[in-house]
Amino acid sequence: MRLILLGPPGAGKGTQAQRIVEKYGIPQLSTGDMLRAAVQAGTEVGKRADALMKAGKLVPDEVVNAIISERLDQPDCAKGFILDGFPRTLVQADATEAMLKDKGLELSSVIQIVVDDGILAHRVSGRYTCANCGAGYHDTDNKPSVEGVCDRCGSTHFKRRPDDNAETVVTRLQAYYKETSPLIGYYYAKGKLKSVDGMADIDHVTGEIEAILSKL
Ligand code: AP5
Ligand code: MG
Ligand code: ZN
């Protein structure tokens, strides 16, 4: 199963990707997570990406294309993968096509998570993740069952992203409309696009996605 999750910042791509990982055992390839790891590690890529990410702007295509191309060659991608936050421009979408063609693979589906703009700042500014296992939470909408303790791994350490503030969300949303939203038409034209209602609660969205995946 080779999937793309498409949607604006805070749509729920990461949240749903984690659930697909658990159910289907295929890896989540989040360029955002990989870039944050590169920033943390202080690599050349990280140094290039840091300021752009903090400002809510996209990192250059050649940087993320190279990251994904390398990642797709890892053995755990052999049985499938979920692309989360990639591709994000038409150049990246064409590069994805070329990479898959090269490996003799085809995309299974592109799932667009549709949400109203008004909710995105709320979702993003309340978000935090487990510093140990990466499980995602929200201050009001998606709390761990025991306050301050990760449901998945029991850790009590959490972190927040530097770009998760109301100001940066505006720039991220602009980048989404300008650069990423054309991919909706791109994948529709290829007959790959499916949409789910990202305004519904998290379990409901998962149900809609599972209904799509069960027909692949
Ligand atoms: P990235 O990390 O991909 O961020 P993003 O696209 O802005 O998306 P988010 O991770 O913010 O949102 P999400 O859809 O994953 O939502 P989540 O599930 O966490 O990219 C960050 C930056 O890296 C970019 O700005 C760019 O600089 C760079 N970058 C990354 N990829 C790139 C690329 N390909 N090209 C160029 N640059 C790139 O959910 C959000 C919150 O809402 C959570 O708290 C969650 O609990 C809650 N929530 C989720 N679903 C629901 C629901 N149904 N109801 C209520 N609450 C919900
Ligand atoms: Mg995410
Ligand atoms: Zn955890």
Side-chain angles (χ1 to χ4, degrees):
M1 198 183 283
R2 288 171 289 276
L3 304 173
I4 292 175
L5 294 183
L6 192 62
K13 303 180 295 291
T15 303
Q16 297 301 331
Q18 286 181 357
R19 290 175 170 216
I20 302 171
V21 169
E22 273 161 31
K23 177 146 186 194
Y24 296 89
I26 53 175
Q28 168 193 10
L29 312 189
S30 159
T31 38
D33 288 348
M34 294 177 207
L35 290 168
R36 280 183 285 280
V39 170
Q40 186 100 39
T43 64
E44 280 310 310
V45 164
K47 284 180 200 150
R48 253 182 112 176
D50 193 18
L52 290 166
M53 292 174 79
K54 281 200 180 103
K57 294 180 181 159
L58 295 187
V59 171
D61 290 326
E62 71 270 18
V63 173
V64 283
N65 287 347
I67 290 177
I68 287 294
S69 170
E70 209 171 283
R71 184 65 185 85
L72 287 177
D73 287 331
Q74 303 293 311
D76 63 335
C77 291
K79 54 184 174 169
F81 48 81
I82 312 149
L83 291 172
D84 160 8
F86 182 95
R88 233 176 169 98
T89 65
L90 289 169
V91 171
Q92 293 175 26
D94 283 338
T96 307
E97 286 271 308
M99 285 177 219
L100 292 180
K101 200 171 166 204
D102 232 34
K103 300 176 203 304
L105 300 171
E106 215 194 313
L107 204 56
S108 310
S109 189
V110 177
I111 301 179
Q112 180 199 7
I113 307 181
V114 183
V115 280
D116 296 345
D117 291 352
I119 197 82
L120 298 174
H122 164 81
R123 288 225 187 139
V124 161
S125 51
R127 168 173 50 194
Y128 59 98
T129 53
C130 173
N132 179 48
C133 77
Y137 299 101
H138 188 277
D139 288 328
T140 53
D141 303 356
N142 180 25
K143 297 199 270 191
S145 38
V146 178
E147 187 92 43
V149 182
C150 176
D151 286 341
R152 199 204 273 165
C153 76
S155 167
T156 53
H157 296 285
F158 297 90
K159 57 182 184 186
R160 290 182 191 259
R161 278 169 44 177
D163 60 342
D164 277 351
N165 56 73
E167 208 177 280
T168 310
V169 170
V170 175
T171 315
R172 286 162 62 190
L173 197 54
Q174 282 166 351
Y176 172 78
Y177 277 115
K178 195 167 165 215
E179 314 259 22
T180 310
S181 66
L183 300 192
I184 297 168
Y186 179 97
Y187 287 116
Y188 175 81
K190 291 180 186 292
K192 294 288 182 197
L193 189 75
K194 301 273 186 235
S195 298
V196 297
D197 174 14
M199 295 300 286
D201 68 45
I202 293 174
D203 288 340
H204 187 97
V205 180
T206 305
E208 274 195 61
I209 291 176
E210 278 174 3
I212 293 168
L213 301 186
S214 68
K215 290 190 198 112
L216 290 178

